[in-house]
Amino acid sequence: MRPEQTIPHPADDDTSGADKAARRAVTVFPVLVLAAGAVGLAAPGAFEGWGTSVPYLLGVVMFCMGLTMTPLDFQGVVKRPWAVALGLVAHYVIMPGLGWLIAHGLGLSPQLAAGVILVGCAPSGTASNVVTYLARGDVALSVSVATVSTVLAPLVTPPLTLLLAGEYLPVDAGSMVTDILKTVLLPVLGGLAVRLLFGRYVDRVLGALPWLSALTIAAIVAIVVAGSAAAIKSAAALVFLAVFLHNGLGLALGYGAGKLARLGPPASRAMAFEVGMQNSGLAASLATAHFSPLAALPSAVFSVWHNVSGALVAAWMARRSARPSGG
């Protein structure tokens, strides 16, 4: 979900129409994903053999992301290179590092440890821009960091995963690069090309794209949960604790990085979500393809929880920012 095409900038202080649509999307999305996970858990047999479709479903999500992009998303990098670079470094240092520390601290099994680390090595989450808007954060910075982190994912995610998760499971970084290129970068660039060539027609369906993405991500979660349904009952509590710590510390440290760099309150709020929210759909796809369905379980739980926590933290930040001394 990308807000710059569907909702006004927070500074406009417009709470009607598009703002309500954004809030509705952020509220419904985690509920939809949670329901999909419940279906996958209750009827795993219905999704037997669907695991191979996960990369293609992720490609649909990333193509939708590309359709919402414009050259303006990249102009922000040129205008504010320091802030964007800080966001990228914070994202790709804090979350992978936290994943490794949490896997060690909780004594996770090799499959779950690799899954948690892989979530941390993924690019920014697809809903981070909308949540930044709801928090009255710096949407332009959020869009720039999310865009560049996604474009750089083929170069950054595989070597980071190899470095941090290689002690748990074998990691074929070269094959992972190819998979990210096929399921992330090429669909994003394809969507961007279609937007540039047929923008008039794409504009007519922009409002439907977040919902198409949400339904597709829900399908991915259902498939991933179904694939590891037998192990969920014994590992669910530990996985949720790992995800809760990973996401919560990521949000806090991302916000702290913005404050330490004196980027200002709106940019610090954007940093919180660009660091703490991950592209868990990509992580689930890679975990399923390179490790096992069990390794994809942290990604499925993260997909639900980071949207719930993001919406809650955004509401709290928005209330604080409305105060004269809000940060």
Side-chain angles (χ1 to χ4, degrees):
M1 301 181 202
R2 296 169 63 79
E4 70 275 18
Q5 302 298 336
T6 58
I7 55 180
H9 191 277
D12 297 338
D13 205 21
D14 183 350
T15 57
S16 63
D19 178 72
K20 292 180 181 178
R23 291 179 184 276
R24 187 163 55 248
V26 171
T27 301
V28 172
F29 182 45
V31 175
L32 181 65
V33 173
L34 183 61
V39 171
L41 185 62
F47 299 93
E48 187 174 352
W50 286 36
T52 55
S53 66
V54 170
Y56 300 100
L57 292 172
L58 178 63
V60 172
V61 176
M62 303 317 296
F63 181 74
C64 290
M65 178 180 178
L67 286 175
T68 67
M69 292 169 64
T70 70
L72 291 176
D73 295 343
F74 299 93
Q75 288 182 16
V77 181
V78 178
K79 292 179 179 177
R80 306 167 70 186
W82 155 246
V84 175
L86 177 64
L88 289 171
V89 171
H91 179 89
Y92 279 122
V93 170
I94 290 174
M95 291 305 280
L98 284 175
W100 185 86
L101 288 172
I102 289 168
H104 273 264
L106 295 181
L108 298 180
S109 68
Q111 298 286 346
L112 291 178
V116 169
I117 291 170
L118 185 52
V119 172
C121 296
S124 296
T126 55
S128 60
N129 305 153
V130 172
V131 176
T132 296
Y133 164 77
L134 295 176
R136 303 183 67 84
D138 189 331
V139 176
L141 176 61
S142 173
V143 169
S144 295
V145 173
T147 300
V148 179
S149 73
T150 300
V151 171
L152 292 180
L155 300 176
V156 180
T157 298
L160 274 178
T161 305
L162 175 62
L163 175 66
L164 299 175
E167 65 181 278
Y168 292 102
L169 295 173
V171 177
D172 187 344
S175 177
M176 196 175 285
V177 169
T178 302
D179 285 348
I180 297 176
L181 286 172
K182 291 190 297 186
T183 60
V184 176
L185 193 57
L186 289 181
V188 167
L189 294 178
L192 176 59
V194 170
R195 178 68 185 276
L196 293 175
L197 293 172
F198 307 103
R200 249 187 343 177
Y201 304 101
V202 174
D203 288 344
R204 299 175 184 175
V205 298
L206 280 177
L209 295 181
W211 298 104
L212 176 58
S213 296
L215 288 170
T216 308
I217 291 173
I220 292 173
V221 169
I223 294 168
V224 169
V225 169
S228 55
I232 286 178
K233 291 182 180 179
S234 60
L238 190 60
V239 171
F240 181 79
L241 176 60
V243 168
F244 177 81
L245 292 172
H246 202 180
N247 170 244
L249 291 171
L251 292 171
L253 292 176
Y255 183 82
K259 293 289 282 186
L260 285 174
R262 299 182 179 179
L263 295 182
S268 297
R269 291 193 286 272
M271 288 280 289
F273 300 114
E274 289 309 319
V275 171
M277 299 184 72
Q278 302 293 94
N279 189 333
S280 46
L282 171 61
S285 175
L286 293 175
T288 302
H290 293 270
F291 300 139
S292 71
L294 180 59
L297 182 57
S299 306
V301 176
F302 204 102
S303 183
V304 178
W305 177 247
H306 79 153
N307 286 286
V308 174
S309 67
L312 293 173
V313 172
W316 176 71
M317 286 182 170
R319 283 197 297 269
R320 286 198 66 202
S321 70
R323 303 171 187 169
S325 59

